[in-house]
Amino acid sequence: MPFFLTPSDYLTLAFPDSQERDLPLANPSGNVVMYSVPVQNEPIQFLHLARCLQHSRGFSLESDALLLSLISIAAGHKSSLIAQQEKKYLDKYPPIRWDVLSLSNTEILSSFSASQTAQRAISDHFSTTSLSICQTAVAFRASGEGLTTEMSNLLLTSCLAIIIAQCLNAGRLWKQAFDTACGLIELRDGPSKMLDEARDISTAEVTRIRLLLENFVVVDVCQCLATGAAPSLMKEPFALWWYDYVSEDADTVHNSYGVDRAVVEVASFSQQTEGNLRVMFGNRVMVNMLKVVVYVDLLKMPHCDEEVQEAAWAAMAAFQEGKELDHGVGLLLAAIIAGSVLQDQSKREVARGVITRLRTTADYAYDVDEAALMLDKLYRLRDDGAVDPSWRLVTNSGILVF
């Protein structure tokens, strides 16, 4: 692109319609795509912004699909801002990008004349259009010269952007976008092959492709936990690509969603296991373990709170019931987390028993003996007067959820 063009000029080339252009301008810096890893000079690593904006609309199906999916996110985010401002959660809108930085808050508010409902509808329409173009591009290229790697990457990024927009809107189109992405990944022989090809290009390309795949895996795990379905992406018992292409933790979804990558893998593995009963009990363990973490870490509830205790004991009950029906679930970290907050001595004994009965597999970061020692150390700290000692003191794990 010519060196003399301003950022606004780039947007004009990509979004010739002024109303379309206003939507990305209303997004805070770095939030064009919300689930990203911000680093200097490359704020959204799985989205190559220069590639997104280097072509005007109509240049290609793949480019159009991506640009429209970005508008969909922008409209969804604008809807959220309007709702927050109307409910007085925001005194003013966040700093605006590029050529509207000089506008006053009053001028910005007056420019946001459309209602929240209208913005949600706009977002949904753009998501629908982008997905239709994605699917058209796949069918069209399949019948002709075929999809190049770059075309596929643009379409995958579009699918992920559609999923994000649909999450903002509590929409349902995300599933079609996810299925389309899975089809594209399968056409390229899966994540490992994609990452091998990216490694031949550059380190930055590996990071970009891996983050795309990681984001899709998080979506996959969430929908598996909700439905009991088997994973579509991380199908292997031990997915080596999940770790082999990571140079540093800062470049992973660990810091994007605040989700421990090891827990994502364990959750995916639990969905592959022996039949629906096992999945059902595993889901109950995971859901209640996550409740414990949200109550304690996010809402700052004390361990003795009734809701914390109920969630922890519900996780233990799921372990117990699964074992009695010969469908024991092997979620060792979940057992440590849920067991660590229990106050009643008899329930602590149940937690110890659950951990000793869990079979050790290679995907665990700890073995059963280590886990039992960790739990005992936390109980001793509590008995010695420590206030709500965290399971992180013994597991050396980072953040797990928001």
Side-chain angles (χ1 to χ4, degrees):
M1 298 295 289
F3 70 91
F4 52 82
L5 291 181
T6 67
S8 293
D9 292 328
Y10 285 112
L11 273 188
T12 302
L13 288 170
F15 306 108
D17 183 273
S18 61
Q19 286 182 288
E20 292 178 358
R21 200 158 57 247
D22 283 344
L23 288 169
L25 287 172
N27 277 280
S29 178
N31 268 357
V32 174
V33 175
M34 296 180 67
Y35 305 115
S36 57
V37 180
V39 296
Q40 188 176 10
N41 300 324
E42 188 70 37
I44 303 166
Q45 289 188 294
F46 75 72
L47 176 69
H48 199 306
L49 288 174
R51 293 180 190 173
C52 294
L53 301 179
Q54 68 182 340
H55 299 306
S56 60
R57 290 269 282 284
F59 180 84
S60 71
L61 290 170
E62 298 79 21
S63 179
D64 283 359
L66 180 53
L67 293 173
L68 293 177
S69 67
L70 295 179
I71 298 177
S72 179
I73 291 179
H77 188 252
K78 184 172 177 179
S79 170
S80 174
L81 290 178
I82 292 172
Q84 292 179 63
Q85 203 279 333
E86 288 176 348
K87 295 179 181 296
K88 308 303 181 185
Y89 297 148
L90 293 178
D91 293 330
K92 60 180 181 178
Y93 284 94
I96 305 301
R97 299 186 59 154
W98 300 332
D99 60 345
V100 292
L101 282 170
S102 60
L103 296 180
S104 69
N105 192 54
T106 302
E107 290 173 311
I108 293 169
L109 287 174
S110 64
S111 71
F112 287 1
S113 58
S115 69
Q116 179 195 8
T117 301
Q119 292 301 320
R120 285 169 59 94
I122 290 169
S123 178
D124 282 339
H125 287 313
F126 275 117
S127 289
T128 301
T129 305
S130 176
L131 180 58
S132 178
I133 294 175
C134 283
Q135 293 170 336
T136 301
V138 173
F140 183 69
R141 303 300 184 192
S143 64
E145 61 187 34
L147 282 168
T148 66
T149 297
E150 182 59 23
M151 290 173 183
S152 176
N153 290 343
L154 288 173
L155 293 174
L156 285 169
T157 308
S158 302
C159 291
L160 183 55
I162 292 166
I163 292 170
I164 293 169
Q166 288 294 287
C167 289
L168 285 170
N169 281 350
R172 297 182 178 181
L173 198 63
W174 67 268
K175 184 62 168 65
Q176 293 181 50
F178 177 73
D179 290 342
T180 301
C182 288
L184 286 164
I185 292 169
E186 188 174 347
L187 283 175
R188 294 170 64 177
D189 297 323
S192 293
K193 182 67 177 300
M194 291 172 63
L195 287 164
D196 279 341
E197 293 173 349
R199 188 160 51 187
D200 294 337
I201 299 173
S202 68
T203 302
E205 191 70 6
V206 170
T207 300
R208 185 169 299 115
I209 298 305
R210 180 174 45 72
L211 280 168
L212 269 173
L213 293 168
E214 285 184 358
N215 276 275
F216 284 124
V217 167
V218 171
V219 175
D220 195 17
V221 167
C222 289
Q223 68 104 13
C224 287
L225 288 172
T227 64
S232 300
L233 291 178
M234 201 186 291
K235 300 177 181 179
E236 313 93 324
F238 311 109
L240 297 178
W241 67 267
W242 188 247
Y243 296 102
D244 285 355
Y245 296 87
V246 177
S247 55
E248 52 182 295
D249 192 57
D251 293 335
T252 70
V253 291
H254 182 99
N255 293 286
S256 304
Y257 293 93
V259 178
D260 190 289
R261 296 179 77 252
V263 172
V264 174
E265 188 193 26
V266 169
S268 180
F269 177 74
S270 73
Q271 299 303 112
Q272 304 171 27
T273 50
E274 310 151 3
N276 289 333
L277 272 177
R278 184 179 175 90
V279 169
M280 179 182 71
F281 289 115
N283 286 352
R284 282 176 54 193
V285 169
M286 289 294 293
V287 166
N288 285 289
M289 178 270 289
L290 290 172
K291 282 184 179 180
V292 170
V293 178
V294 170
Y295 289 151
V296 172
D297 285 2
L298 181 63
L299 302 180
K300 307 301 181 185
M301 292 182 178
H303 290 186
C304 62
D305 187 275
E306 184 177 350
E307 289 185 279
V308 176
Q309 291 299 304
E310 285 180 357
W313 185 241
M316 290 299 132
F319 275 118
Q320 291 285 83
E321 292 171 30
K323 182 63 178 178
E324 289 171 6
L325 294 174
D326 198 27
H327 288 283
V329 288
L331 301 174
L332 199 56
L333 182 58
I336 296 171
I337 293 171
S340 69
V341 302
L342 290 171
Q343 308 279 298
D344 184 84
Q345 189 63 40
S346 62
K347 292 181 179 179
R348 289 187 189 180
E349 291 303 318
V350 171
R352 288 190 179 98
V354 163
I355 285 178
T356 56
R357 285 197 300 269
L358 289 175
R359 58 186 176 85
T360 304
T361 58
D363 65 318
Y364 289 146
Y366 330 104
D367 65 27
V368 168
D369 291 336
E370 288 176 321
L373 291 173
M374 291 173 185
L375 203 57
D376 284 337
K377 181 178 179 180
L378 288 171
Y379 291 157
R380 285 197 303 272
L381 286 171
R382 187 185 301 281
D383 293 340
D384 290 343
V387 178
D388 293 347
S390 171
W391 51 272
R392 292 192 180 86
L393 293 174
V394 295
T395 61
N396 194 31
S397 294
I399 51 178
L400 180 69
V401 294
F402 293 106

